[in-house]
Amino acid sequence: MEQTTAVQIHNERVIRDLEQRMNNIEAWTQEQARKLQITEPVRRAVQRTYDKLICSRKYLLMPRHSPIQRRFLRMMLTLALATDSSLQSSARRVATYFSQNYIFEWCSSPITAPARRMARDMILRAADAQFDETPYAPQLAYVVFHHQKLQITNISDYTELYTRALALDAEGLFRDVGMAERRELGLHRHPYIQQH
């Protein structure tokens, strides 16, 4: 009983830490949008697209995206349209692209750089890295931040998280499924904002 309580307390602490990290990532994204001088029409296009597409329901019943995915998708869409306001007229296509290629974009976006650094540190602390190389840091970061969607209850169990990341990678979950659409939209040319 005492062991269970200790694990629960540790899990709650990790979840609070992840929420704080999410808040920091959202603040950074908004700061980048301000630096890029996002216009009010672009903000409205982001909001309208977010409401209609990202928050929509699949088969009118189930939400298309989990709460954490919706938060990240809003940031991705905001940063893409702030970076290139000409995408405003294609906001729906951009959002659809991010939605369909979400996992790949999540693992490579400048928005999630702090999450990937956190995962890299976890791998190095666990000594699972050879020569300080951490090729599975993006996958581990994805699993940590999407633990609820993946139904991982013990978020503080590094072995479970890392094993799940490797298994999902072996299944091909992290592969790029939207390269042609990204090129057609011009997203591959975007100068990435200074990483944080």
Side-chain angles (χ1 to χ4, degrees):
M1 185 71 154
E2 190 174 309
Q3 179 69 15
T4 303
T5 305
V7 168
Q8 287 172 340
I9 290 169
H10 190 64
N11 282 336
E12 288 170 7
R13 192 171 338 138
V14 171
I15 289 168
R16 279 194 306 273
D17 178 62
L18 287 175
E19 183 59 30
Q20 182 57 53
R21 289 175 187 269
M22 272 299 298
N23 293 337
N24 292 345
I25 290 169
E26 286 172 328
W28 178 86
T29 302
Q30 290 307 315
E31 178 61 28
Q32 292 304 309
R34 276 192 294 280
K35 285 180 181 177
L36 292 164
Q37 300 176 343
I38 189 170
T39 64
E40 192 54 37
V42 171
R43 281 188 198 280
R44 284 195 305 270
V46 168
Q47 187 62 46
R48 192 170 46 253
T49 305
Y50 175 81
D51 291 340
K52 287 184 180 176
L53 188 70
I54 295 172
C55 292
S56 66
R57 295 185 171 273
K58 197 187 298 186
Y59 310 118
L60 301 175
L61 299 171
M62 300 168 37
R64 187 174 300 280
H65 300 288
S66 70
I68 194 78
Q69 288 175 323
R70 287 194 300 268
R71 288 174 77 179
F72 276 114
L73 283 165
R74 178 193 291 268
M75 289 185 274
M76 290 177 185
L77 186 60
T78 299
L79 200 53
L81 269 62
T83 303
D84 183 355
S85 60
S86 70
L87 288 173
Q88 179 183 344
S89 60
S90 304
R92 188 172 181 84
R93 275 186 67 201
V94 173
T96 300
Y97 163 76
F98 282 141
S99 177
Q100 292 173 346
N101 206 22
Y102 174 75
I103 297 172
F104 175 81
E105 285 293 332
W106 192 95
C107 288
S108 57
S109 173
I111 293 167
T112 59
R116 293 192 303 273
R117 279 196 302 274
M118 177 201 73
R120 182 180 187 278
D121 291 344
M122 289 171 67
I123 293 169
L124 291 173
R125 274 196 311 271
D128 278 341
Q130 293 182 332
F131 310 110
D132 286 342
E133 292 181 15
T134 56
Y136 291 100
Q139 292 89 332
L140 178 60
Y142 177 84
V143 168
V144 170
F145 274 83
H146 296 81
H147 66 276
Q148 288 178 319
K149 181 164 180 60
L150 298 170
Q151 299 176 339
I152 297 172
T153 54
N154 189 359
I155 185 72
S156 59
D157 183 353
Y158 169 78
T159 303
E160 181 181 354
L161 297 168
Y162 193 71
T163 302
R164 180 67 72 88
L166 293 177
L168 292 174
D169 187 66
E171 290 174 19
L173 189 72
F174 299 98
R175 74 181 186 283
D176 183 2
V177 295
M179 187 184 309
E181 181 71 2
R182 182 172 51 256
R183 286 190 171 283
E184 196 173 309
L185 288 165
L187 294 171
H188 67 291
R189 291 189 313 258
H190 282 187
Y192 271 113
I193 300 57
Q194 53 180 267
Q195 303 273 332
H196 59 126

